[in-house]
Amino acid sequence: LAAVAPVAGGYRALDDCPDGRRVSVLEIHGTSDHVVPYNGKPPDYNGSVKRWLWLWRRIDGCQGSADRLVPARGVTEIAWRHCTAGTRVEHVRLDGQAHGWPGGPRTDPPPAPFAATWRTWQFFRSLPPRPPVSTR
C-alpha cells in the first residue's frame, strides 16, 4: 500500500498504527462536517483532523513546515513534503463544506472550486513508484 486518501473520514476509533508503516496520505475534510466533526467530538475532541494529520506526519517522519496553497475561495491545501522514504502528507481543508463527497463523482478537471475525485487522482498519479514488499 503506497497511499491512502480519506474523504470526510472518521478517525475517532482508529488505532495508533503500531507497526509504523509509512504511506503517503491525502486527507480531504470540510470544516462544517457535523457527522464527523473537523475538530473532533467533545468532550475530548478525539478524532480531530489536526490530531490525525499530526500522527501521520510523525509516522512518515515529516520535517519542516508545510507548504500552503489557496487554489480557490474556501479551499486550503496544506502539504508536508519532506518526509521519510519519499512519502508525503497532504490535507485539503474545505471551509463550510458539510459531510460528503465534494464535487460529485466527476473524474475530469472540475469547473467547480474543488472536486475530490479529481484531486485524489492527481495525488495518486503524482506519487513515485514504490518497489513491492517481500512477504518472506
Side-chain angles (χ1 to χ4, degrees):
L1 185 67
V4 295
V7 176
Y11 311 116
R12 195 167 172 194
L14 294 179
D15 291 334
D16 287 341
C17 301
D19 63 2
R21 291 186 185 166
R22 291 182 168 96
V23 298
S24 290
V25 174
L26 168 64
E27 200 285 336
I28 301 170
H29 215 106
T31 60
S32 294
D33 188 335
H34 296 291
V35 176
V36 183
Y38 187 86
N39 292 316
K41 290 191 177 189
D44 61 2
Y45 297 94
N46 194 12
S48 106
V49 171
K50 290 179 184 181
R51 273 192 215 165
W52 193 79
L53 289 167
W54 176 86
L55 171 68
W56 275 110
R57 291 192 325 262
R58 186 173 56 82
I59 289 170
D60 284 352
C62 300
Q63 303 293 318
S65 59
D67 296 328
R68 290 181 180 266
L69 178 66
V70 180
R73 185 177 182 173
V75 178
T76 303
E77 297 193 9
I78 306 165
W80 294 268
R81 293 192 173 106
H82 305 289
C83 307
T84 305
T87 59
R88 57 186 204 249
V89 176
E90 297 187 17
H91 172 53
V92 179
R93 185 182 70 222
L94 301 170
D95 296 335
Q97 174 75 37
H99 187 75
W101 192 269
R106 290 189 304 264
T107 57
D108 56 328
F114 184 81
T117 302
W118 179 252
R119 182 62 178 85
T120 301
W121 174 242
Q122 285 180 313
F123 177 72
F124 287 146
R125 223 174 81 186
S126 71
L127 296 173
R130 291 180 65 176
V133 176
S134 173
T135 57
R136 294 182 190 202

